[in-house]
Amino acid sequence: MSTLYGIDFTSAPSARKPITVASGVVGADGAVHLRRVERFPSWDGFEAFLRRPGPWLGAFDFPFGLPRESVLEHGWPTDWAGLVRAVTALSRAEFKALADAERAQRPVGDKYTHRATDRPAGSHSPMKCVNPPVGWMFMEGARRLLDAGVHVPGMHGGDGQRVALEAYPGWLARSIVAGSYKSEAAAGQTRERLANRMLLSEALLRGQHPLGVPLRCDDNALLEAMSSDGTGDTLDCVLCLVEAAWAWLRRDAGYGLPLHIDPVEGWIVGVSRPEAVDPLRH
């Protein structure tokens, strides 16, 4: 039985904003059972987590790749390991300067390049460095996956007992509730957002969402935190855990990923191409 992890990531972990990790397993009932939530306020803790012996599968909320259009424009390597090494050798200022120059040449309304998975997922371009700084998340996250030697299906061979997949909790959350459910600022943690977190939690417990995997948890404090944590970090890592469970149930079918994905772009687990057919649904 593999341990499953859902990771809500930040490019600058701190005591105020740690990397938040939910862990659990898929039970005989087909539900994902949430066991605990850990918080890593420093890179040391997160890097040690990545090196935990398997078997485990983790769904990580940061982009694993970059748009091929940008990769080709900047002459970066077209293998994942080479791309990660080349880009993370840059300083943040150097990466931002390249991204700014690229954006300046593009037409209004199409300033950012996107990966094939970004459009159906509604995710931001990894070439974006502000609001949110997804580019920094790629730089900080991808290089640590590479350094830890984990296996990244469709992108990079590594330790098959430690499997990393890209997740996006916002995609799953929006499929359940259209409105905002979190805010980093206390002033933004409104009753409306609390209500949306409660709706999201209830939908996860019932399995009433596109992935269909129900959530189970015997720890009332964890269930309460999913709603009471106004930053959304607790709920986001649980959403990622549900995505990890969906993928694990499809481990014999490529974790539910498309048959062919671009190895420099990657793919967000659970997000389907329009023509895709789920082998467990048909």
Side-chain angles (χ1 to χ4, degrees):
M1 178 66 69
S2 288
T3 299
L4 303 178
Y5 295 114
I7 299 91
D8 180 49
F9 191 75
T10 173
S11 60
S14 65
R16 186 190 65 82
K17 180 69 173 176
I19 295 171
T20 309
V21 178
S23 61
V25 296
V26 170
D29 56 359
V32 57
H33 293 252
L34 172 63
R35 298 287 174 79
R36 64 174 175 163
V37 171
E38 301 172 84
R39 302 183 193 276
F40 300 111
S42 70
W43 288 124
D44 288 346
F46 179 67
E47 290 164 1
F49 158 71
L50 289 176
R51 288 179 167 80
R52 286 182 186 174
W56 57 255
L57 180 151
F60 296 75
D61 177 23
F62 62 81
F64 283 14
L66 296 177
R68 177 166 285 271
E69 184 177 351
S70 296
V71 172
L72 295 178
E73 177 168 335
H74 299 296
W76 290 325
T78 53
D79 67 288
W80 184 75
L83 170 65
V84 171
R85 292 190 185 101
V87 173
T88 57
L90 301 171
S91 68
R92 288 192 176 189
E94 289 169 331
F95 179 83
K96 184 177 184 300
L98 290 172
D100 288 346
E102 176 183 297
R103 192 171 66 255
Q105 300 173 25
R106 297 177 64 83
V108 175
D110 188 29
K111 285 293 186 180
Y112 289 99
T113 57
H114 288 82
R115 302 174 298 165
T117 192
D118 290 326
R119 300 297 191 187
S123 51
H124 292 278
S125 168
M127 297 302 293
K128 190 175 185 181
C129 301
V130 293
N131 300 324
V134 194
W136 305 154
M137 295 173 74
F138 165 77
M139 293 182 77
E140 299 294 351
R143 72 178 181 88
R144 287 178 167 85
L145 294 182
L146 181 60
D147 290 346
V150 302
H151 180 61
V152 187
M155 302 183 79
H156 181 70
D159 179 3
Q161 295 295 298
R162 295 177 295 137
V163 178
L165 297 169
E166 181 179 341
Y168 182 35
W171 164 76
L172 185 55
R174 283 194 299 272
S175 73
I176 302 168
V177 173
S180 173
Y181 62 96
K182 60 184 180 179
S183 174
E184 292 295 332
Q189 295 172 12
T190 61
R191 290 183 179 180
E192 289 78 10
R193 288 190 169 103
L194 171 60
N196 284 338
R197 290 193 301 277
M198 294 174 71
L199 288 171
L200 284 165
S201 298
E202 183 65 22
L204 293 177
L205 290 167
R206 294 178 179 274
Q208 293 179 338
H209 54 81
L211 299 184
V213 180
L215 175 73
R216 300 286 181 265
C217 182
D218 297 327
D219 188 329
N220 288 331
L222 283 182
L223 289 173
E224 172 64 22
M226 288 168 58
S227 296
S228 63
D229 179 1
T231 68
D233 293 352
T234 303
L235 184 54
D236 278 345
C237 71
V238 174
L239 286 161
C240 289
L241 179 67
V242 171
E243 294 180 26
W246 182 91
W248 188 84
L249 289 167
R250 289 155 180 79
R251 61 196 180 279
D252 295 328
Y255 302 100
L257 296 170
L259 184 59
H260 300 291
I261 62 175
D262 190 319
V264 300
E265 291 198 352
W267 196 268
I268 296 169
V269 68
V271 176
S272 297
R273 295 187 188 276
E275 73 278 8
V277 176
D278 186 337
L280 298 193
R281 294 272 181 111
H282 296 271

